[in-house]
Amino acid sequence: AQSVTQLDSQVPVFEEAPVELRCNYSSSVSVYLFWYVQYPNQGLQLLLKYLSGSTLVKGINGFEAEFNKSQTSFHLRKPSVHISDTAEYFCAVRMNTGFQKLVFGTGTRLLVSP
Amino acid sequence: DAGVTQSPTHLIKTRGQQVTLRCSPKSGHDTVSWYQQALGQGPQFIFQYYEEEERQRGNFPDRFSGHQFPNYSSELNVNALLLGDSALYLCASSHLRRGLYNEQFFGPGTRLTVL
């Protein structure tokens, strides 16, 4: 079975500052890794994904994440945040075979203030 | 191209009632998954449908059932509603390509409130 841990339930940051949202996962098999963003009263939007290859993955809206297999981590980073980045961010994993479900973390609320 | 659509957007039910939620997948998609997102939590997988059959199921009781139609749309049914069933129900669709990655696209969700 897979599991995801997002240690920070809330991360406050000032506009134009850098941010890192942490994600650790557990799995006995190879997985795909994802970050989703959820704005208030909306569904989930895919920010970026790691399937294979380069461990540094770039996504939409200036976000990037680095896959670290030895530390089983997939932290999300942005060098300079905007007010509009205020949202809930979810890390997720799934096995890389068959009809496999997404397993989500509990989410991190990013609060960007002026 | 319409993305994943869900109906209704909101609904309110009372304990013990039954509810049906609907999902239309993105054009060209043949697989539908349902997730439950309780307030302040991450989405939890309920089940997945492909070729009108339930292919995988999460840890949800039999009160949760589903159906997929020949046009790939899907329904989620919940019987004997409990207060704890109050949540945002998300539908996700994908196109199954065996041996390859199949990206899931999420709908806006249906907010169910059980009183």
Side-chain angles (χ1 to χ4, degrees):
Chain A
Q2 296 80 47
S3 66
V4 176
T5 302
Q6 293 183 249
L7 291 173
D8 305 306
S9 59
Q10 188 167 294
V11 173
V13 63
F14 289 108
E15 193 175 19
E16 297 184 5
V19 70
E20 178 181 83
L21 305 184
R22 297 181 294 169
C23 172
N24 288 90
Y25 70 95
S26 174
S27 176
S28 58
V29 299
S30 295
V31 295
Y32 296 145
L33 294 155
F34 308 85
W35 275 99
Y36 285 86
V37 61
Q38 186 175 39
Y39 298 102
N41 300 314
Q42 294 188 26
L44 299 172
Q45 180 182 8
L46 181 65
L47 273 179
L48 48 79
K49 60 183 180 286
Y50 172 78
L51 305 182
S52 65
S54 174
T55 57
L56 183 62
V57 179
K58 294 188 182 297
I60 62 172
N61 301 339
F63 285 94
E64 64 180 32
E66 186 157 17
F67 170 57
N68 188 317
K69 188 173 183 179
S70 63
Q71 297 186 8
T72 60
S73 67
F74 190 55
H75 301 333
L76 181 70
R77 302 185 183 97
K78 187 170 183 178
S80 176
V81 296
H82 303 289
I83 297 288
S84 59
D85 292 323
T86 294
E88 191 84 20
Y89 291 80
F90 293 96
C91 182
V93 302
R94 56 157 282 191
M95 289 173 59
N96 60 5
T97 58
F99 296 100
Q100 295 304 330
K101 62 184 179 183
L102 284 167
V103 176
F104 288 87
T106 52
T108 297
R109 178 167 296 277
L110 177 62
L111 294 171
V112 183
S113 55
Chain B
D1 172 30
V4 180
T5 60
Q6 293 185 243
S7 63
T9 55
H10 298 83
L11 75 166
I12 300 173
K13 294 285 188 177
T14 57
R15 282 178 295 175
Q17 285 188 313
Q18 179 265 344
V19 68
T20 298
L21 311 182
R22 296 176 176 81
C23 172
S24 292
K26 185 178 170 65
S27 177
H29 286 186
D30 53 14
T31 303
V32 174
S33 302
W34 287 92
Y35 293 81
Q36 180 196 64
Q37 185 180 12
L39 196 62
Q41 299 296 317
Q44 299 287 319
F45 176 77
I46 303 175
F47 42 53
Q48 184 178 70
Y49 277 84
Y50 173 71
E51 291 186 335
E52 303 179 47
E53 290 188 15
E54 183 183 294
R55 299 292 178 166
Q56 193 175 16
R57 187 178 182 93
N59 294 324
F60 280 81
D62 292 342
R63 297 187 297 109
F64 289 77
S65 63
H67 188 77
Q68 186 179 34
F69 299 94
N71 67 353
Y72 307 119
S73 66
S74 176
E75 289 183 349
L76 164 65
N77 300 292
V78 187
N79 295 321
L81 284 167
L82 304 174
L83 295 179
D85 295 331
S86 295
L88 179 68
Y89 289 84
L90 295 166
C91 170
S93 74
S94 60
H95 174 56
L96 181 67
R97 301 174 298 164
R98 296 188 187 276
L100 298 175
Y101 166 67
N102 310 293
E103 183 166 332
Q104 293 189 31
F105 290 79
F106 284 82
T110 293
R111 174 75 62 187
L112 171 64
T113 301
V114 182
L115 302 177

